[in-house]
């Protein structure tokens, strides 16, 4: 390393003047600037950017990193909420089915609107459908849609059946058996297994 004396200059040896990492603006005529890792005495020039008031490196900024941490926590909470929602949705089932009435004689035009008659006059659009669990508790309700007659039978080109469809949404899928009751004249209803309701629906015939 070349000293000041070797360059025919006066003053104490100051080998750091020629160091490439010392900016020109940090070479005051009145004295040396201590290395970046040491304290800066008063009157010995400005503190380089990125260093604290005593010459030590400034503490790293944690704002951006903290922001990413917050975003990560928010994402985790949303993921848990979505997972809980999916599990909750999976714990229910939509019960679909039909109710059909067959008369002794074909009297209905094929594929036309119809409703129950005589003893079954309570079967019509809007009749209540109730789903009960194995303990008898009501776990879902719905209603019959508009009845539609079936295909023509016999020699007269008329139909002898009237079929109603229904859907009961979001029935808790707990337990192995359920009862489907139509209207108020059906007592406790007809027994179905959960597998039947999930795979094929409930189909009742009168």
């Amino acid at each position: 390393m070349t000293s000041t004396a070797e360059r025919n200059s006066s003053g104490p040896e100051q080998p750091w003047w020629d160091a490439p990492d010392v900016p020109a603006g940090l070479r005051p005529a009145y004295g040396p600037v201590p290395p970046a890792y040491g304290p800066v005495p008063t009157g010995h020039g400005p503190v380089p950017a990125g260093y604290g008031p005593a010459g030590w490196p400034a503490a790293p900024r944690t704002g951006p990193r903290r922001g990413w941490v917050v975003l990560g926590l928010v994402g985790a909470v949303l993921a848990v909420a979505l997972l809980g929602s999916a599990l909750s949705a999976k714990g229910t089932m939509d019960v679909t089915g039909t109710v059909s009435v067959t008369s002794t004689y074909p009297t209905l035009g094929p594929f036309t609107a119809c409703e129950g008659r005589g003893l079954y006059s309570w079967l019509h659009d809007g009749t209540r459908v109730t789903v009960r669990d194995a303990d008898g508790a009501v776990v879902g309700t719905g209603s019959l849609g508009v009845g539609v007659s079936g295909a023509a039978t016999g020699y007269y080109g008329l139909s002898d059946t009237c079929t109603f469809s229904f859907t009961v949404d979001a029935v808790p899928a707990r337990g192995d058996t359920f009862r489907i009751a139509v209207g108020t004249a059906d007592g406790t209803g007809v027994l179905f297994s959960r597998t039947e309701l999930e795979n094929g629906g409930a189909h009742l015939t009168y």
Side-chain angles (χ1 to χ4, degrees), residues 75-129:
V77 171
L78 290 176
V80 170
L82 290 174
L83 178 60
S85 178
L87 291 176
S88 177
K90 190 176 180 180
T92 64
M93 60 181 177
D94 294 340
V95 176
T96 61
T98 59
V99 176
S100 297
V101 179
T102 302
S103 61
T104 305
Y105 303 102
T107 58
L108 303 171
F111 308 113
T112 59
C114 59
E115 59 183 17
R117 299 177 181 178
L119 295 176
Y120 301 108
S121 60
W122 50 274
L123 287 174
H124 52 76
D125 177 20
T127 298
R128 183 175 179 176
V129 178

Short mmCIF file of all heavy atoms in Angstrom, two decimals, residues 75-129:
data_model
loop_
_atom_site.label_atom_id
_atom_site.label_comp_id
_atom_site.label_asym_id
_atom_site.label_seq_id
_atom_site.Cartn_x
_atom_site.Cartn_y
_atom_site.Cartn_z
N GLY A 75 -54.03 -14.61 3.96
CA GLY A 75 -54.29 -15.71 3.03
C GLY A 75 -54.59 -17.01 3.74
O GLY A 75 -55.46 -17.77 3.33
N ALA A 76 -53.85 -17.28 4.83
CA ALA A 76 -54.08 -18.51 5.59
C ALA A 76 -55.47 -18.52 6.21
O ALA A 76 -56.18 -19.54 6.20
CB ALA A 76 -53.02 -18.66 6.67
N VAL A 77 -55.89 -17.36 6.75
CA VAL A 77 -57.23 -17.28 7.36
C VAL A 77 -58.31 -17.51 6.31
O VAL A 77 -59.28 -18.24 6.54
CB VAL A 77 -57.42 -15.90 8.03
CG1 VAL A 77 -58.87 -15.71 8.46
CG2 VAL A 77 -56.51 -15.78 9.23
N LEU A 78 -58.14 -16.91 5.12
CA LEU A 78 -59.12 -17.11 4.05
C LEU A 78 -59.17 -18.57 3.61
O LEU A 78 -60.24 -19.11 3.34
CB LEU A 78 -58.77 -16.21 2.86
CG LEU A 78 -58.99 -14.70 3.07
CD1 LEU A 78 -58.51 -13.94 1.85
CD2 LEU A 78 -60.46 -14.41 3.35
N ALA A 79 -58.00 -19.20 3.54
CA ALA A 79 -57.96 -20.61 3.13
C ALA A 79 -58.71 -21.48 4.13
O ALA A 79 -59.46 -22.38 3.75
CB ALA A 79 -56.51 -21.07 2.99
N VAL A 80 -58.50 -21.21 5.43
CA VAL A 80 -59.21 -22.00 6.46
C VAL A 80 -60.72 -21.77 6.37
O VAL A 80 -61.52 -22.70 6.49
CB VAL A 80 -58.69 -21.61 7.86
CG1 VAL A 80 -59.56 -22.23 8.95
CG2 VAL A 80 -57.24 -22.06 8.02
N ALA A 81 -61.12 -20.50 6.12
CA ALA A 81 -62.55 -20.20 6.01
C ALA A 81 -63.17 -20.92 4.82
O ALA A 81 -64.27 -21.48 4.92
CB ALA A 81 -62.75 -18.69 5.88
N LEU A 82 -62.47 -20.91 3.69
CA LEU A 82 -62.98 -21.60 2.50
C LEU A 82 -63.07 -23.10 2.73
O LEU A 82 -64.02 -23.76 2.30
CB LEU A 82 -62.10 -21.29 1.30
CG LEU A 82 -62.16 -19.85 0.77
CD1 LEU A 82 -61.14 -19.65 -0.33
CD2 LEU A 82 -63.56 -19.53 0.26
N LEU A 83 -62.05 -23.66 3.41
CA LEU A 83 -62.07 -25.08 3.69
C LEU A 83 -63.25 -25.44 4.59
O LEU A 83 -63.95 -26.43 4.36
CB LEU A 83 -60.76 -25.50 4.34
CG LEU A 83 -60.63 -26.98 4.74
CD1 LEU A 83 -60.77 -27.86 3.50
CD2 LEU A 83 -59.30 -27.23 5.43
N GLY A 84 -63.47 -24.60 5.63
CA GLY A 84 -64.60 -24.85 6.52
C GLY A 84 -65.92 -24.77 5.79
O GLY A 84 -66.83 -25.56 6.02
N SER A 85 -66.03 -23.80 4.86
CA SER A 85 -67.25 -23.67 4.07
C SER A 85 -67.49 -24.88 3.20
O SER A 85 -68.60 -25.38 3.07
CB SER A 85 -67.18 -22.41 3.21
OG SER A 85 -68.33 -22.29 2.41
N ALA A 86 -66.39 -25.39 2.58
CA ALA A 86 -66.53 -26.57 1.72
C ALA A 86 -66.95 -27.79 2.52
O ALA A 86 -67.80 -28.58 2.11
CB ALA A 86 -65.21 -26.84 0.99
N LEU A 87 -66.34 -27.94 3.71
CA LEU A 87 -66.71 -29.09 4.55
C LEU A 87 -68.15 -28.99 5.02
O LEU A 87 -68.88 -29.99 5.09
CB LEU A 87 -65.77 -29.16 5.76
CG LEU A 87 -64.31 -29.53 5.45
CD1 LEU A 87 -63.47 -29.47 6.71
CD2 LEU A 87 -64.23 -30.93 4.83
N SER A 88 -68.57 -27.74 5.34
CA SER A 88 -69.96 -27.56 5.76
C SER A 88 -70.93 -27.88 4.64
O SER A 88 -71.96 -28.52 4.85
CB SER A 88 -70.15 -26.11 6.23
OG SER A 88 -71.49 -25.88 6.57
N ALA A 89 -70.59 -27.42 3.41
CA ALA A 89 -71.46 -27.71 2.27
C ALA A 89 -71.53 -29.20 2.00
O ALA A 89 -72.57 -29.74 1.62
CB ALA A 89 -70.95 -26.96 1.05
N LYS A 90 -70.41 -29.89 2.19
CA LYS A 90 -70.38 -31.33 1.94
C LYS A 90 -71.23 -32.08 2.96
O LYS A 90 -71.65 -33.20 2.71
CB LYS A 90 -68.93 -31.82 2.00
CG LYS A 90 -68.75 -33.24 1.53
CD LYS A 90 -67.28 -33.64 1.52
CE LYS A 90 -67.12 -35.07 1.04
NZ LYS A 90 -65.69 -35.46 1.02
N GLY A 91 -71.53 -31.48 4.11
CA GLY A 91 -72.32 -32.14 5.14
C GLY A 91 -73.81 -32.04 4.91
O GLY A 91 -74.58 -32.39 5.79
N THR A 92 -74.25 -31.53 3.77
CA THR A 92 -75.67 -31.46 3.45
C THR A 92 -75.95 -32.14 2.12
O THR A 92 -75.03 -32.41 1.35
CB THR A 92 -76.15 -30.00 3.37
OG1 THR A 92 -75.47 -29.35 2.29
CG2 THR A 92 -75.87 -29.27 4.68
N MET A 93 -77.21 -32.39 1.85
CA MET A 93 -77.60 -32.99 0.58
C MET A 93 -78.94 -32.41 0.16
O MET A 93 -79.75 -32.00 0.98
CB MET A 93 -77.71 -34.51 0.71
CG MET A 93 -78.73 -34.99 1.73
SD MET A 93 -78.81 -36.81 1.85
CE MET A 93 -80.01 -37.02 3.17
N ASP A 94 -79.15 -32.35 -1.14
CA ASP A 94 -80.43 -31.92 -1.70
C ASP A 94 -81.26 -33.17 -2.00
O ASP A 94 -80.82 -34.03 -2.78
CB ASP A 94 -80.22 -31.11 -2.98
CG ASP A 94 -79.53 -29.79 -2.71
OD1 ASP A 94 -79.55 -29.33 -1.55
OD2 ASP A 94 -78.96 -29.22 -3.66
N VAL A 95 -82.40 -33.27 -1.37
CA VAL A 95 -83.26 -34.44 -1.55
C VAL A 95 -84.25 -34.14 -2.68
O VAL A 95 -85.04 -33.19 -2.60
CB VAL A 95 -84.02 -34.77 -0.26
CG1 VAL A 95 -85.00 -35.93 -0.49
CG2 VAL A 95 -83.04 -35.13 0.85
N THR A 96 -84.21 -34.94 -3.72
CA THR A 96 -85.15 -34.81 -4.83
C THR A 96 -86.02 -36.05 -4.89
O THR A 96 -85.67 -37.10 -4.36
CB THR A 96 -84.41 -34.64 -6.17
OG1 THR A 96 -83.59 -35.81 -6.39
CG2 THR A 96 -83.52 -33.41 -6.14
N GLY A 97 -87.17 -35.91 -5.55
CA GLY A 97 -88.05 -37.07 -5.66
C GLY A 97 -89.31 -36.78 -6.44
O GLY A 97 -89.48 -35.68 -6.98
N THR A 98 -90.17 -37.77 -6.48
CA THR A 98 -91.45 -37.64 -7.18
C THR A 98 -92.55 -38.28 -6.36
O THR A 98 -92.30 -39.17 -5.54
CB THR A 98 -91.40 -38.32 -8.57
OG1 THR A 98 -91.08 -39.72 -8.39
CG2 THR A 98 -90.35 -37.67 -9.47
N VAL A 99 -93.75 -37.83 -6.59
CA VAL A 99 -94.96 -38.42 -6.01
C VAL A 99 -95.91 -38.71 -7.17
O VAL A 99 -96.27 -37.81 -7.92
CB VAL A 99 -95.63 -37.49 -5.00
CG1 VAL A 99 -96.93 -38.10 -4.48
CG2 VAL A 99 -94.68 -37.18 -3.85
N SER A 100 -96.28 -39.97 -7.33
CA SER A 100 -97.16 -40.36 -8.44
C SER A 100 -98.47 -40.94 -7.92
O SER A 100 -98.48 -41.70 -6.93
CB SER A 100 -96.46 -41.41 -9.33
OG SER A 100 -95.29 -40.87 -9.91
N VAL A 101 -99.55 -40.58 -8.59
CA VAL A 101 -100.88 -41.11 -8.26
C VAL A 101 -101.40 -41.85 -9.51
O VAL A 101 -101.38 -41.29 -10.61
CB VAL A 101 -101.85 -39.98 -7.88
CG1 VAL A 101 -103.22 -40.56 -7.57
CG2 VAL A 101 -101.31 -39.20 -6.69
N THR A 102 -101.85 -43.06 -9.32
CA THR A 102 -102.38 -43.86 -10.43
C THR A 102 -103.86 -44.11 -10.20
O THR A 102 -104.26 -44.59 -9.13
CB THR A 102 -101.64 -45.19 -10.56
OG1 THR A 102 -100.25 -44.93 -10.75
CG2 THR A 102 -102.16 -46.00 -11.73
N SER A 103 -104.67 -43.79 -11.19
CA SER A 103 -106.12 -44.00 -11.07
C SER A 103 -106.52 -45.34 -11.70
O SER A 103 -105.75 -45.95 -12.45
CB SER A 103 -106.88 -42.87 -11.77
OG SER A 103 -106.57 -42.84 -13.15
N THR A 104 -107.69 -45.77 -11.37
CA THR A 104 -108.17 -47.05 -11.90
C THR A 104 -108.40 -46.99 -13.40
O THR A 104 -108.10 -47.93 -14.14
CB THR A 104 -109.46 -47.47 -11.19
OG1 THR A 104 -109.26 -47.49 -9.77
CG2 THR A 104 -109.92 -48.84 -11.66
N TYR A 105 -108.91 -45.88 -13.86
CA TYR A 105 -109.20 -45.73 -15.29
C TYR A 105 -108.44 -44.52 -15.84
O TYR A 105 -108.35 -43.49 -15.17
CB TYR A 105 -110.71 -45.54 -15.52
CG TYR A 105 -111.55 -46.65 -14.96
CD1 TYR A 105 -112.23 -46.49 -13.74
CD2 TYR A 105 -111.66 -47.86 -15.63
CE1 TYR A 105 -112.99 -47.50 -13.22
CE2 TYR A 105 -112.43 -48.88 -15.12
CZ TYR A 105 -113.09 -48.72 -13.91
OH TYR A 105 -113.85 -49.73 -13.39
N PRO A 106 -107.93 -44.65 -17.05
CA PRO A 106 -107.25 -43.50 -17.66
C PRO A 106 -108.24 -42.41 -18.04
O PRO A 106 -109.17 -42.64 -18.80
CB PRO A 106 -106.58 -44.12 -18.90
CG PRO A 106 -107.40 -45.32 -19.22
CD PRO A 106 -107.90 -45.85 -17.92
N THR A 107 -108.04 -41.23 -17.44
CA THR A 107 -108.96 -40.12 -17.71
C THR A 107 -108.23 -38.82 -18.04
O THR A 107 -108.88 -37.79 -18.28
CB THR A 107 -109.84 -39.87 -16.48
OG1 THR A 107 -109.00 -39.58 -15.36
CG2 THR A 107 -110.72 -41.07 -16.17
N LEU A 108 -106.89 -38.87 -18.09
CA LEU A 108 -106.13 -37.64 -18.30
C LEU A 108 -105.50 -37.61 -19.69
O LEU A 108 -105.03 -38.63 -20.20
CB LEU A 108 -105.00 -37.54 -17.25
CG LEU A 108 -105.44 -37.59 -15.77
CD1 LEU A 108 -104.22 -37.70 -14.87
CD2 LEU A 108 -106.26 -36.36 -15.42
N GLY A 109 -105.49 -36.43 -20.27
CA GLY A 109 -104.76 -36.28 -21.52
C GLY A 109 -103.27 -36.47 -21.26
O GLY A 109 -102.76 -36.04 -20.22
N PRO A 110 -102.54 -37.13 -22.13
CA PRO A 110 -101.12 -37.41 -21.89
C PRO A 110 -100.28 -36.13 -21.81
O PRO A 110 -100.49 -35.19 -22.58
CB PRO A 110 -100.72 -38.28 -23.08
CG PRO A 110 -101.73 -37.98 -24.14
CD PRO A 110 -103.00 -37.65 -23.43
N PHE A 111 -99.39 -36.10 -20.84
CA PHE A 111 -98.42 -35.01 -20.66
C PHE A 111 -99.08 -33.64 -20.52
O PHE A 111 -98.68 -32.66 -21.14
CB PHE A 111 -97.41 -35.01 -21.83
CG PHE A 111 -96.77 -36.34 -22.06
CD1 PHE A 111 -97.03 -37.05 -23.23
CD2 PHE A 111 -95.94 -36.90 -21.12
CE1 PHE A 111 -96.46 -38.29 -23.45
CE2 PHE A 111 -95.34 -38.14 -21.33
CZ PHE A 111 -95.60 -38.83 -22.50
N THR A 112 -100.11 -33.61 -19.69
CA THR A 112 -100.79 -32.35 -19.40
C THR A 112 -100.76 -32.11 -17.89
O THR A 112 -100.49 -33.03 -17.10
CB THR A 112 -102.26 -32.38 -19.88
OG1 THR A 112 -102.93 -33.48 -19.23
CG2 THR A 112 -102.33 -32.56 -21.39
N ALA A 113 -101.05 -30.87 -17.49
CA ALA A 113 -101.08 -30.55 -16.06
C ALA A 113 -102.21 -31.31 -15.39
O ALA A 113 -103.30 -31.48 -15.96
CB ALA A 113 -101.26 -29.05 -15.88
N CYS A 114 -101.95 -31.78 -14.17
CA CYS A 114 -102.97 -32.56 -13.46
C CYS A 114 -102.79 -32.39 -11.96
O CYS A 114 -101.81 -31.82 -11.49
CB CYS A 114 -102.84 -34.04 -13.85
SG CYS A 114 -101.21 -34.75 -13.47
N GLU A 115 -103.74 -32.95 -11.21
CA GLU A 115 -103.67 -32.95 -9.75
C GLU A 115 -104.48 -34.13 -9.25
O GLU A 115 -105.23 -34.76 -9.99
CB GLU A 115 -104.18 -31.64 -9.17
CG GLU A 115 -105.62 -31.33 -9.54
CD GLU A 115 -106.06 -29.98 -9.00
OE1 GLU A 115 -105.20 -29.16 -8.64
OE2 GLU A 115 -107.29 -29.75 -8.95
N GLY A 116 -104.30 -34.43 -7.94
CA GLY A 116 -105.02 -35.56 -7.38
C GLY A 116 -106.52 -35.31 -7.32
O GLY A 116 -106.97 -34.16 -7.22
N ARG A 117 -107.30 -36.40 -7.35
CA ARG A 117 -108.76 -36.31 -7.28
C ARG A 117 -109.28 -37.27 -6.22
O ARG A 117 -108.61 -38.23 -5.83
CB ARG A 117 -109.37 -36.66 -8.62
CG ARG A 117 -108.97 -35.72 -9.76
CD ARG A 117 -109.56 -36.15 -11.08
NE ARG A 117 -109.17 -35.27 -12.19
CZ ARG A 117 -109.53 -35.46 -13.45
NH1 ARG A 117 -110.30 -36.52 -13.78
NH2 ARG A 117 -109.13 -34.63 -14.39
N GLY A 118 -110.48 -37.01 -5.76
CA GLY A 118 -111.11 -37.90 -4.79
C GLY A 118 -110.31 -37.97 -3.51
O GLY A 118 -110.01 -36.96 -2.87
N LEU A 119 -109.89 -39.20 -3.12
CA LEU A 119 -109.13 -39.40 -1.89
C LEU A 119 -107.77 -38.70 -1.92
O LEU A 119 -107.18 -38.45 -0.87
CB LEU A 119 -108.93 -40.89 -1.64
CG LEU A 119 -110.20 -41.71 -1.36
CD1 LEU A 119 -109.84 -43.18 -1.22
CD2 LEU A 119 -110.89 -41.21 -0.09
N TYR A 120 -107.30 -38.39 -3.10
CA TYR A 120 -105.98 -37.78 -3.23
C TYR A 120 -106.06 -36.32 -3.70
O TYR A 120 -105.13 -35.79 -4.29
CB TYR A 120 -105.12 -38.59 -4.20
CG TYR A 120 -104.94 -40.02 -3.76
CD1 TYR A 120 -105.59 -41.06 -4.43
CD2 TYR A 120 -104.14 -40.33 -2.67
CE1 TYR A 120 -105.44 -42.37 -4.02
CE2 TYR A 120 -103.98 -41.64 -2.25
CZ TYR A 120 -104.64 -42.66 -2.92
OH TYR A 120 -104.49 -43.96 -2.51
N SER A 121 -107.16 -35.70 -3.39
CA SER A 121 -107.33 -34.31 -3.81
C SER A 121 -106.35 -33.36 -3.09
O SER A 121 -106.17 -32.22 -3.52
CB SER A 121 -108.77 -33.87 -3.57
OG SER A 121 -109.10 -33.98 -2.19
N TRP A 122 -105.72 -33.84 -2.03
CA TRP A 122 -104.75 -33.02 -1.31
C TRP A 122 -103.38 -32.99 -2.02
O TRP A 122 -102.49 -32.22 -1.64
CB TRP A 122 -104.57 -33.52 0.12
CG TRP A 122 -104.30 -35.00 0.21
CD1 TRP A 122 -105.22 -36.01 0.23
CD2 TRP A 122 -103.02 -35.62 0.26
NE1 TRP A 122 -104.61 -37.23 0.30
CE2 TRP A 122 -103.24 -37.02 0.33
CE3 TRP A 122 -101.71 -35.16 0.28
CZ2 TRP A 122 -102.21 -37.95 0.40
CZ3 TRP A 122 -100.68 -36.08 0.36
CH2 TRP A 122 -100.93 -37.46 0.41
N LEU A 123 -103.25 -33.81 -3.06
CA LEU A 123 -102.01 -33.79 -3.84
C LEU A 123 -102.15 -32.79 -4.98
O LEU A 123 -102.92 -33.00 -5.92
CB LEU A 123 -101.71 -35.19 -4.40
CG LEU A 123 -101.23 -36.23 -3.39
CD1 LEU A 123 -101.12 -37.60 -4.07
CD2 LEU A 123 -99.90 -35.83 -2.79
N HIS A 124 -101.42 -31.71 -4.89
CA HIS A 124 -101.49 -30.67 -5.92
C HIS A 124 -100.25 -29.78 -5.80
O HIS A 124 -99.42 -29.93 -4.89
CB HIS A 124 -102.77 -29.83 -5.75
CG HIS A 124 -102.96 -29.30 -4.37
ND1 HIS A 124 -102.25 -28.24 -3.86
CD2 HIS A 124 -103.79 -29.73 -3.36
CE1 HIS A 124 -102.62 -28.00 -2.62
NE2 HIS A 124 -103.56 -28.90 -2.28
N ASP A 125 -100.14 -28.87 -6.73
CA ASP A 125 -99.03 -27.92 -6.71
C ASP A 125 -99.01 -27.17 -5.38
O ASP A 125 -100.00 -26.57 -4.98
CB ASP A 125 -99.21 -26.94 -7.88
CG ASP A 125 -98.14 -25.86 -7.91
OD1 ASP A 125 -97.07 -26.07 -7.30
OD2 ASP A 125 -98.36 -24.82 -8.55
N GLY A 126 -97.84 -27.21 -4.68
CA GLY A 126 -97.70 -26.50 -3.42
C GLY A 126 -97.87 -27.36 -2.19
O GLY A 126 -97.61 -26.88 -1.07
N THR A 127 -98.32 -28.63 -2.32
CA THR A 127 -98.45 -29.49 -1.15
C THR A 127 -97.09 -29.65 -0.47
O THR A 127 -96.07 -29.86 -1.14
CB THR A 127 -98.99 -30.88 -1.55
OG1 THR A 127 -100.30 -30.72 -2.10
CG2 THR A 127 -99.06 -31.81 -0.35
N ARG A 128 -97.08 -29.57 0.83
CA ARG A 128 -95.82 -29.58 1.59
C ARG A 128 -95.17 -30.96 1.60
O ARG A 128 -95.85 -31.99 1.71
CB ARG A 128 -96.08 -29.12 3.02
CG ARG A 128 -94.83 -29.03 3.89
CD ARG A 128 -95.14 -28.45 5.25
NE ARG A 128 -93.95 -28.36 6.08
CZ ARG A 128 -93.93 -27.81 7.29
NH1 ARG A 128 -95.05 -27.30 7.79
NH2 ARG A 128 -92.82 -27.77 7.98
N VAL A 129 -93.82 -30.95 1.52
CA VAL A 129 -93.00 -32.17 1.66
C VAL A 129 -92.07 -31.97 2.85
O VAL A 129 -91.37 -30.95 2.93
CB VAL A 129 -92.17 -32.43 0.38
CG1 VAL A 129 -91.29 -33.66 0.57
CG2 VAL A 129 -93.08 -32.60 -0.82
#
